[in-house]
Amino acid sequence: MDKIRILVIGLEEAEVNALKQSLNFNYLMVHYDLVPQVKLIEGQLYVESSSIPGKYLLVNKVIFHGIYKDDLDFITLLAMWNGPCLPNALGMMDLRQRIPGLVRALSVSKFSDIKRGMVIGEQEYNSETEVVAKWGIWHCGEDKNKFNGDWTSTETSVIEEFIDGEAVRIMIVGDKNWQIRLTGDTWLKSIHNEGSWEMEIDQELLLDSTAIAKHFNLQTVGVDYIIGKNGERYLLEVNHIPNVTVFPFVNKAFIEYAGEWMVS
């Protein structure tokens, strides 16, 4: 019997070792910290061997975790392959670029009422109220600026009304879900700051996030919202690769889900 080769990209060594425990002798796992060289040949996916340059190995399943500067072509290739991929490659492709991904997600969410603007390339922008400009590709709290008055973009940016309130993330892994409070010393909030932790889940936000996950066919997703001081809720961003290593309860659920997915 031919062995099933699973390509794992970006997960930390502890997660990779935990996933290996789910596999028997019928499976092989190939792990890369960064995006490897791959080829798609007549519908079959191949990855370059880590030990023999120029030799390519047939891949049957892919687990992809992480955000890399030039990974859109790689994700697009995975989507064209259309093989078993965690998360779903087409969903990742649709959400990978920050601004187009936001536009697609807003068409699904019921919490899409933030007033937004947009500039292309280098342009001057003036706002009489406090707003936030967002640009770039990183989905990780970078490439943002809060301002009022005059501002000049350095690249294509979306500009949205600044909402003073509580930032939260709905995290979904398979059929498990959590609401995470995002914290920070400034107006910028993140899961990585001390104090960020699980909180009581808002069922309306969960329903909204579940609809987004279903629309993009994503098995794992992190959806960020802001809850204004007036109680109104607004979609901020959809993370196609939500970090599964920060919180132990998320990490445990992901290892269990991915372990079952690999052998299904």
Side-chain angles (χ1 to χ4, degrees):
M1 176 188 294
D2 292 335
K3 292 185 181 294
I4 297 172
R5 182 175 286 107
I6 300 171
L7 172 61
V8 179
I9 301 164
L11 285 174
E12 297 179 6
E13 186 175 357
E15 282 71 47
V16 174
N17 290 336
L19 288 175
K20 286 180 179 178
Q21 303 305 311
S22 303
L23 302 178
N24 58 37
F25 65 92
N26 291 323
Y27 293 84
L28 297 171
M29 181 179 289
V30 182
H31 173 231
Y32 289 86
D33 293 325
L34 302 175
V35 174
Q37 290 291 324
V38 293
K39 293 181 180 180
L40 183 62
I41 302 175
E42 296 181 348
Q44 291 190 309
L45 179 64
Y46 295 85
V47 64
E48 187 174 24
S49 167
S50 59
S51 57
I52 307 176
K55 180 179 180 180
Y56 281 76
L57 309 170
L58 180 67
V59 172
N60 303 101
K61 293 189 173 186
V62 176
I63 296 177
F64 188 86
H65 188 75
I67 298 177
Y68 308 91
K69 183 178 180 181
D70 298 313
D71 63 6
L72 181 58
D73 284 349
F74 183 89
I75 293 172
T76 302
L77 184 146
L78 291 180
M80 184 173 291
W81 170 53
N82 198 30
C85 186
L86 178 66
N88 174 267
L90 184 60
M92 288 195 292
M93 185 186 76
D94 285 343
L95 291 169
R96 174 61 187 93
Q97 293 181 313
R98 171 183 271 169
I99 298 175
L102 173 63
V103 174
R104 294 183 180 107
L106 287 170
S107 71
V108 182
S109 175
K110 63 180 289 187
F111 301 112
S112 57
D113 292 337
I114 286 183
K115 299 174 182 178
R116 288 180 168 89
M118 183 172 168
V119 291
I120 298 175
E122 297 183 15
Q123 283 189 298
E124 295 180 355
Y125 192 95
N126 178 273
S127 176
E128 295 181 358
T129 59
E130 205 163 37
V131 293
V132 175
K134 299 178 180 179
W135 62 93
I137 61 171
W138 291 111
H139 289 269
C140 56
E142 298 181 4
D143 302 333
K144 297 179 183 178
N145 184 50
K146 185 173 72 167
F147 70 95
N148 61 2
D150 294 327
W151 178 77
T152 302
S153 63
T154 57
E155 58 186 280
T156 297
S157 307
V158 63
I159 295 104
E160 63 189 31
E161 176 186 1
F162 175 73
I163 306 294
D164 189 14
E166 183 174 54
V168 301
R169 172 172 297 180
I170 299 295
M171 183 76 185
I172 295 175
V173 176
D175 61 357
K176 293 185 171 61
N177 49 74
W178 309 265
Q179 182 166 313
I180 308 294
R181 177 179 288 109
L182 308 182
T183 63
D185 297 329
T186 69
W187 65 274
L188 292 167
K189 310 301 180 185
S190 169
I191 63 171
H192 298 284
N193 287 301
E194 185 177 355
S196 296
W197 197 252
E198 184 181 10
M199 62 186 295
E200 183 179 356
I201 199 160
D202 181 319
Q203 291 300 319
E204 287 194 79
L205 293 184
L206 176 59
L207 285 173
D208 196 66
S209 296
T210 302
I212 291 171
K214 182 178 180 180
H215 177 82
F216 292 102
N217 194 25
L218 288 172
Q219 309 96 318
T220 64
V221 70
V223 187
D224 293 346
Y225 299 90
I226 188 77
I227 303 173
K229 291 187 174 181
N230 60 359
E232 294 295 321
R233 291 152 292 182
Y234 307 91
L235 175 70
L236 293 180
E237 190 168 41
V238 180
N239 299 274
H240 67 297
I241 301 286
N243 192 299
V244 299
T245 64
V246 173
F247 302 109
F249 47 89
V250 174
N251 188 257
K252 180 175 182 293
F254 177 80
I255 294 301
E256 291 174 353
Y257 181 82
E260 293 174 1
W261 177 85
M262 288 190 300
V263 299
S264 63

Short mmCIF file of all heavy atoms in Angstrom, two decimals, residues 1-8 23-32 38 45-51 55-63 81 83-85 261-263:
data_model
loop_
_atom_site.label_atom_id
_atom_site.label_comp_id
_atom_site.label_asym_id
_atom_site.label_seq_id
_atom_site.Cartn_x
_atom_site.Cartn_y
_atom_site.Cartn_z
N MET A 1 0.84 -1.19 0.00
CA MET A 1 0.00 0.00 0.00
C MET A 1 0.88 1.25 0.00
O MET A 1 1.85 1.34 0.76
CB MET A 1 -0.90 0.02 1.25
CG MET A 1 -1.75 1.29 1.37
SD MET A 1 -2.63 1.41 2.95
CE MET A 1 -3.75 0.04 2.77
N ASP A 2 0.55 2.22 -0.88
CA ASP A 2 1.29 3.47 -0.89
C ASP A 2 0.95 4.27 0.35
O ASP A 2 -0.21 4.36 0.78
CB ASP A 2 0.91 4.29 -2.14
CG ASP A 2 1.41 3.65 -3.41
OD1 ASP A 2 2.40 2.89 -3.34
OD2 ASP A 2 0.81 3.91 -4.47
N LYS A 3 1.98 4.87 0.94
CA LYS A 3 1.76 5.68 2.14
C LYS A 3 1.15 7.03 1.77
O LYS A 3 1.37 7.55 0.67
CB LYS A 3 3.08 5.85 2.88
CG LYS A 3 3.62 4.56 3.49
CD LYS A 3 4.87 4.83 4.31
CE LYS A 3 5.44 3.54 4.90
NZ LYS A 3 4.54 2.93 5.89
N ILE A 4 0.40 7.59 2.69
CA ILE A 4 -0.21 8.90 2.51
C ILE A 4 0.73 9.94 3.10
O ILE A 4 1.10 9.88 4.28
CB ILE A 4 -1.58 8.95 3.21
CG1 ILE A 4 -2.53 7.95 2.57
CG2 ILE A 4 -2.17 10.35 3.16
CD1 ILE A 4 -3.84 7.78 3.32
N ARG A 5 1.15 10.89 2.24
CA ARG A 5 2.11 11.91 2.68
C ARG A 5 1.36 13.19 3.02
O ARG A 5 0.62 13.72 2.19
CB ARG A 5 3.17 12.17 1.62
CG ARG A 5 4.23 13.19 2.06
CD ARG A 5 5.34 13.33 1.02
NE ARG A 5 6.24 12.19 1.02
CZ ARG A 5 6.28 11.25 0.09
NH1 ARG A 5 5.44 11.32 -0.95
NH2 ARG A 5 7.12 10.24 0.16
N ILE A 6 1.58 13.69 4.23
CA ILE A 6 0.95 14.92 4.70
C ILE A 6 2.00 16.01 4.82
O ILE A 6 3.01 15.84 5.51
CB ILE A 6 0.25 14.70 6.05
CG1 ILE A 6 -0.83 13.61 5.91
CG2 ILE A 6 -0.37 16.01 6.56
CD1 ILE A 6 -1.42 13.17 7.22
N LEU A 7 1.77 17.11 4.13
CA LEU A 7 2.67 18.25 4.17
C LEU A 7 2.16 19.24 5.22
O LEU A 7 1.03 19.70 5.15
CB LEU A 7 2.71 18.92 2.79
CG LEU A 7 3.45 20.26 2.68
CD1 LEU A 7 4.92 20.13 3.06
CD2 LEU A 7 3.30 20.83 1.27
N VAL A 8 3.02 19.54 6.20
CA VAL A 8 2.67 20.48 7.28
C VAL A 8 3.59 21.68 7.17
O VAL A 8 4.81 21.54 7.17
CB VAL A 8 2.81 19.82 8.67
CG1 VAL A 8 2.48 20.82 9.77
CG2 VAL A 8 1.89 18.60 8.77
N LEU A 23 -0.88 9.47 13.79
CA LEU A 23 -0.63 8.74 12.55
C LEU A 23 -0.09 7.34 12.81
O LEU A 23 0.65 7.12 13.76
CB LEU A 23 0.38 9.53 11.70
CG LEU A 23 -0.03 10.96 11.33
CD1 LEU A 23 1.07 11.63 10.54
CD2 LEU A 23 -1.34 10.97 10.56
N ASN A 24 -0.44 6.41 11.93
CA ASN A 24 0.13 5.07 11.99
C ASN A 24 1.12 4.90 10.85
O ASN A 24 1.46 5.86 10.15
CB ASN A 24 -0.97 4.00 11.98
CG ASN A 24 -1.85 4.11 10.73
OD1 ASN A 24 -1.38 4.40 9.63
ND2 ASN A 24 -3.16 3.84 10.89
N PHE A 25 1.56 3.68 10.62
CA PHE A 25 2.63 3.43 9.65
C PHE A 25 2.19 3.68 8.20
O PHE A 25 3.02 3.69 7.30
CB PHE A 25 3.15 1.99 9.78
CG PHE A 25 2.13 0.94 9.43
CD1 PHE A 25 2.02 0.44 8.15
CD2 PHE A 25 1.26 0.45 10.40
CE1 PHE A 25 1.07 -0.52 7.82
CE2 PHE A 25 0.32 -0.51 10.08
CZ PHE A 25 0.21 -1.00 8.80
N ASN A 26 0.88 3.90 7.98
CA ASN A 26 0.41 4.17 6.61
C ASN A 26 0.63 5.62 6.20
O ASN A 26 0.33 5.98 5.05
CB ASN A 26 -1.09 3.85 6.50
CG ASN A 26 -1.37 2.36 6.60
OD1 ASN A 26 -0.59 1.55 6.10
ND2 ASN A 26 -2.46 2.01 7.26
N TYR A 27 1.13 6.45 7.11
CA TYR A 27 1.25 7.88 6.86
C TYR A 27 2.70 8.34 6.98
O TYR A 27 3.49 7.82 7.79
CB TYR A 27 0.40 8.68 7.84
CG TYR A 27 -1.09 8.48 7.65
CD1 TYR A 27 -1.74 7.38 8.22
CD2 TYR A 27 -1.84 9.38 6.91
CE1 TYR A 27 -3.10 7.18 8.04
CE2 TYR A 27 -3.21 9.19 6.73
CZ TYR A 27 -3.83 8.09 7.30
OH TYR A 27 -5.17 7.91 7.12
N LEU A 28 3.03 9.35 6.18
CA LEU A 28 4.31 10.05 6.28
C LEU A 28 4.01 11.53 6.49
O LEU A 28 3.07 12.07 5.90
CB LEU A 28 5.14 9.88 5.01
CG LEU A 28 5.59 8.47 4.64
CD1 LEU A 28 6.21 8.49 3.24
CD2 LEU A 28 6.60 7.95 5.66
N MET A 29 4.80 12.20 7.30
CA MET A 29 4.62 13.63 7.49
C MET A 29 5.88 14.37 7.08
O MET A 29 6.99 13.99 7.47
CB MET A 29 4.28 13.96 8.95
CG MET A 29 4.06 15.45 9.20
SD MET A 29 3.63 15.83 10.92
CE MET A 29 1.97 15.18 11.00
N VAL A 30 5.71 15.42 6.28
CA VAL A 30 6.81 16.28 5.86
C VAL A 30 6.53 17.67 6.43
O VAL A 30 5.47 18.23 6.18
CB VAL A 30 6.93 16.35 4.32
CG1 VAL A 30 8.12 17.22 3.92
CG2 VAL A 30 7.04 14.96 3.73
N HIS A 31 7.48 18.21 7.21
CA HIS A 31 7.26 19.48 7.90
C HIS A 31 8.25 20.53 7.42
O HIS A 31 9.45 20.28 7.30
CB HIS A 31 7.43 19.29 9.42
CG HIS A 31 7.38 20.57 10.18
ND1 HIS A 31 8.34 20.93 11.10
CD2 HIS A 31 6.50 21.61 10.14
CE1 HIS A 31 8.04 22.11 11.61
NE2 HIS A 31 6.95 22.54 11.04
N TYR A 32 7.71 21.73 7.13
CA TYR A 32 8.54 22.87 6.75
C TYR A 32 8.14 24.07 7.61
O TYR A 32 6.95 24.33 7.81
CB TYR A 32 8.35 23.24 5.28
CG TYR A 32 8.96 22.25 4.31
CD1 TYR A 32 8.24 21.13 3.90
CD2 TYR A 32 10.25 22.42 3.81
CE1 TYR A 32 8.78 20.22 3.02
CE2 TYR A 32 10.80 21.51 2.93
CZ TYR A 32 10.06 20.41 2.53
OH TYR A 32 10.60 19.50 1.66
N VAL A 38 6.97 23.91 -4.38
CA VAL A 38 6.00 22.90 -4.78
C VAL A 38 5.75 22.99 -6.28
O VAL A 38 6.06 24.00 -6.92
CB VAL A 38 4.66 23.07 -4.02
CG1 VAL A 38 4.82 22.78 -2.54
CG2 VAL A 38 4.06 24.46 -4.25
N LEU A 45 -0.09 17.21 -6.57
CA LEU A 45 0.75 18.15 -5.84
C LEU A 45 2.05 17.46 -5.42
O LEU A 45 2.03 16.35 -4.87
CB LEU A 45 0.01 18.65 -4.60
CG LEU A 45 0.77 19.64 -3.70
CD1 LEU A 45 1.07 20.94 -4.43
CD2 LEU A 45 -0.04 19.92 -2.44
N TYR A 46 3.16 18.17 -5.65
CA TYR A 46 4.47 17.66 -5.27
C TYR A 46 5.21 18.72 -4.48
O TYR A 46 5.10 19.92 -4.77
CB TYR A 46 5.30 17.30 -6.51
CG TYR A 46 4.73 16.16 -7.33
CD1 TYR A 46 3.75 16.39 -8.29
CD2 TYR A 46 5.18 14.86 -7.13
CE1 TYR A 46 3.23 15.35 -9.05
CE2 TYR A 46 4.66 13.80 -7.90
CZ TYR A 46 3.69 14.06 -8.85
OH TYR A 46 3.17 13.03 -9.59
N VAL A 47 6.00 18.29 -3.48
CA VAL A 47 6.83 19.19 -2.69
C VAL A 47 8.28 18.73 -2.81
O VAL A 47 8.57 17.54 -2.89
CB VAL A 47 6.39 19.20 -1.22
CG1 VAL A 47 6.58 17.82 -0.55
CG2 VAL A 47 7.14 20.26 -0.43
N GLU A 48 9.18 19.72 -2.85
CA GLU A 48 10.60 19.39 -2.95
C GLU A 48 11.08 18.73 -1.66
O GLU A 48 10.75 19.17 -0.55
CB GLU A 48 11.43 20.63 -3.23
CG GLU A 48 12.89 20.31 -3.50
CD GLU A 48 13.69 21.53 -3.93
OE1 GLU A 48 13.28 22.65 -3.59
OE2 GLU A 48 14.73 21.34 -4.60
N SER A 49 11.86 17.70 -1.80
CA SER A 49 12.44 17.00 -0.66
C SER A 49 13.35 17.94 0.13
O SER A 49 14.10 18.73 -0.45
CB SER A 49 13.24 15.78 -1.13
OG SER A 49 14.03 15.26 -0.08
N SER A 50 13.29 17.87 1.46
CA SER A 50 14.15 18.71 2.30
C SER A 50 15.58 18.18 2.35
O SER A 50 16.50 18.90 2.73
CB SER A 50 13.59 18.78 3.72
OG SER A 50 13.49 17.48 4.29
N SER A 51 15.78 16.94 1.93
CA SER A 51 17.11 16.33 2.01
C SER A 51 17.77 16.14 0.64
O SER A 51 19.00 16.03 0.55
CB SER A 51 17.03 14.98 2.73
OG SER A 51 16.13 14.11 2.06
N LYS A 55 14.49 16.84 -5.98
CA LYS A 55 13.61 15.68 -5.95
C LYS A 55 12.26 16.11 -5.37
O LYS A 55 12.20 16.74 -4.31
CB LYS A 55 14.20 14.56 -5.09
CG LYS A 55 13.30 13.32 -5.02
CD LYS A 55 13.93 12.21 -4.19
CE LYS A 55 13.00 11.00 -4.14
NZ LYS A 55 13.59 9.88 -3.34
N TYR A 56 11.18 15.76 -6.05
CA TYR A 56 9.85 16.16 -5.60
C TYR A 56 9.04 14.94 -5.18
O TYR A 56 9.10 13.89 -5.82
CB TYR A 56 9.13 16.93 -6.71
CG TYR A 56 9.60 18.36 -6.79
CD1 TYR A 56 10.82 18.68 -7.37
CD2 TYR A 56 8.84 19.39 -6.25
CE1 TYR A 56 11.27 20.00 -7.43
CE2 TYR A 56 9.26 20.70 -6.29
CZ TYR A 56 10.48 21.01 -6.88
OH TYR A 56 10.91 22.30 -6.91
N LEU A 57 8.28 15.12 -4.09
CA LEU A 57 7.53 14.03 -3.47
C LEU A 57 6.03 14.30 -3.59
O LEU A 57 5.57 15.42 -3.38
CB LEU A 57 7.91 13.92 -1.98
CG LEU A 57 9.41 13.85 -1.67
CD1 LEU A 57 9.64 13.98 -0.17
CD2 LEU A 57 10.00 12.55 -2.21
N LEU A 58 5.27 13.27 -3.90
CA LEU A 58 3.83 13.39 -4.02
C LEU A 58 3.22 13.71 -2.65
O LEU A 58 3.58 13.10 -1.65
CB LEU A 58 3.23 12.10 -4.57
CG LEU A 58 1.70 12.07 -4.76
CD1 LEU A 58 1.28 13.04 -5.85
CD2 LEU A 58 1.24 10.65 -5.07
N VAL A 59 2.29 14.67 -2.62
CA VAL A 59 1.61 15.08 -1.39
C VAL A 59 0.14 14.74 -1.51
O VAL A 59 -0.50 14.99 -2.54
CB VAL A 59 1.79 16.60 -1.15
CG1 VAL A 59 0.92 17.06 0.01
CG2 VAL A 59 3.25 16.93 -0.91
N ASN A 60 -0.42 14.19 -0.43
CA ASN A 60 -1.84 13.82 -0.42
C ASN A 60 -2.71 14.79 0.37
O ASN A 60 -3.89 14.98 0.05
CB ASN A 60 -2.00 12.42 0.16
CG ASN A 60 -1.19 11.38 -0.59
OD1 ASN A 60 -0.12 10.98 -0.13
ND2 ASN A 60 -1.68 10.96 -1.74
N LYS A 61 -2.15 15.38 1.43
CA LYS A 61 -2.90 16.33 2.26
C LYS A 61 -1.96 17.43 2.72
O LYS A 61 -0.74 17.23 2.82
CB LYS A 61 -3.52 15.64 3.49
CG LYS A 61 -4.61 14.64 3.17
CD LYS A 61 -5.31 14.16 4.46
CE LYS A 61 -6.52 13.30 4.14
NZ LYS A 61 -7.30 12.95 5.37
N VAL A 62 -2.55 18.60 3.02
CA VAL A 62 -1.74 19.76 3.45
C VAL A 62 -2.38 20.40 4.68
O VAL A 62 -3.60 20.60 4.73
CB VAL A 62 -1.63 20.81 2.33
CG1 VAL A 62 -0.88 22.05 2.83
CG2 VAL A 62 -0.93 20.22 1.11
N ILE A 63 -1.53 20.72 5.67
CA ILE A 63 -1.92 21.59 6.79
C ILE A 63 -1.07 22.84 6.68
O ILE A 63 0.17 22.77 6.67
CB ILE A 63 -1.70 20.90 8.15
CG1 ILE A 63 -2.61 19.67 8.27
CG2 ILE A 63 -1.97 21.87 9.29
CD1 ILE A 63 -2.41 18.89 9.56
N TRP A 81 -5.12 23.04 -6.98
CA TRP A 81 -5.00 21.61 -6.71
C TRP A 81 -6.33 21.04 -6.20
O TRP A 81 -6.77 19.97 -6.60
CB TRP A 81 -3.89 21.40 -5.69
CG TRP A 81 -3.77 20.02 -5.11
CD1 TRP A 81 -3.66 18.85 -5.80
CD2 TRP A 81 -3.73 19.68 -3.72
NE1 TRP A 81 -3.54 17.79 -4.92
CE2 TRP A 81 -3.58 18.27 -3.64
CE3 TRP A 81 -3.78 20.42 -2.54
CZ2 TRP A 81 -3.52 17.60 -2.41
CZ3 TRP A 81 -3.70 19.76 -1.32
CH2 TRP A 81 -3.57 18.36 -1.26
N GLY A 83 -7.12 19.78 -3.43
CA GLY A 83 -7.02 18.58 -2.61
C GLY A 83 -7.32 18.89 -1.16
O GLY A 83 -7.63 20.03 -0.79
N PRO A 84 -7.23 17.89 -0.28
CA PRO A 84 -7.53 18.09 1.14
C PRO A 84 -6.53 19.06 1.79
O PRO A 84 -5.33 18.80 1.83
CB PRO A 84 -7.39 16.68 1.74
CG PRO A 84 -7.49 15.74 0.58
CD PRO A 84 -6.90 16.47 -0.59
N CYS A 85 -7.04 20.18 2.27
CA CYS A 85 -6.20 21.22 2.83
C CYS A 85 -6.87 21.80 4.07
O CYS A 85 -8.07 22.08 4.06
CB CYS A 85 -5.95 22.33 1.80
SG CYS A 85 -4.77 23.59 2.32
N TRP A 261 -8.67 14.95 11.30
CA TRP A 261 -8.79 15.31 9.89
C TRP A 261 -7.75 14.58 9.05
O TRP A 261 -8.04 14.14 7.93
CB TRP A 261 -8.62 16.82 9.76
CG TRP A 261 -8.65 17.34 8.35
CD1 TRP A 261 -9.73 17.67 7.61
CD2 TRP A 261 -7.50 17.58 7.50
NE1 TRP A 261 -9.35 18.11 6.35
CE2 TRP A 261 -7.99 18.04 6.27
CE3 TRP A 261 -6.13 17.43 7.69
CZ2 TRP A 261 -7.14 18.37 5.22
CZ3 TRP A 261 -5.28 17.76 6.63
CH2 TRP A 261 -5.79 18.23 5.42
N MET A 262 -6.53 14.43 9.57
CA MET A 262 -5.46 13.81 8.79
C MET A 262 -5.78 12.38 8.41
O MET A 262 -5.41 11.92 7.32
CB MET A 262 -4.15 13.85 9.59
CG MET A 262 -3.52 15.21 9.70
SD MET A 262 -1.84 15.14 10.38
CE MET A 262 -2.13 14.39 11.97
N VAL A 263 -6.45 11.66 9.28
CA VAL A 263 -6.69 10.24 9.05
C VAL A 263 -8.10 9.96 8.54
O VAL A 263 -8.48 8.78 8.37
CB VAL A 263 -6.42 9.41 10.32
CG1 VAL A 263 -4.97 9.56 10.75
CG2 VAL A 263 -7.36 9.82 11.46
#
